[in-house]
Amino acid sequence: GEVESPTAGADVAVIGGVIAAVVFVLICLLVVMVRYLYRHKGTYHTNEAKGTEFAESADAALKNDPALQEAVDESKKEYFI
C-alpha cells in the first residue's frame, strides 16, 4: 500500500473551503443583482412636457406647455428631429 501523508486531508479541506466560499460569494452577488434589476425595472424617465401625448400637433403641444409659454415665438418655429 500507499501511505497517505497527514497533510493530505488538510489540503483537501482547505481546497473544499475555498471552493465553498467562492460559490457562496457568487450566489450572494447573483441575489443582489437580481434584486437590483427587479427593483429598478421600469424607471426610465423622459423630459417631455406633461400633457403633450394628447396634442393633435407639435404646435399645439408647445403652446400648451407652461414651461415654454414665454419662450415660444410664433414667427420663429424650429423643429428638431
Side-chain angles (χ1 to χ4, degrees), residues 30-75:
L30 181 68
V31 168
V32 168
M33 285 175 42
V34 167
R35 184 174 182 259
Y36 175 81
L37 291 174
Y38 178 75
R39 299 198 18 107
H40 288 72
K41 181 177 67 170
T43 58
Y44 178 74
H45 299 287
T46 62
N47 293 324
E48 295 176 2
K50 303 287 186 251
T52 57
E53 61 269 5
F54 301 114
E56 63 273 358
S57 69
D59 289 334
L62 290 174
K63 287 179 187 175
N64 294 334
D65 186 12
L68 298 175
Q69 288 293 331
E70 64 276 353
V72 175
D73 185 7
E74 290 296 323
S75 63

Side-chain angles (χ1 to χ4, degrees), residues 1-32:
E2 197 174 299
V3 177
E4 252 187 64
S5 68
T7 60
D11 291 343
V12 171
V14 169
I15 292 172
V18 169
I19 291 174
V22 169
V23 169
F24 179 74
V25 168
L26 289 176
I27 289 173
C28 288
L29 285 175
L30 181 68
V31 168
V32 168

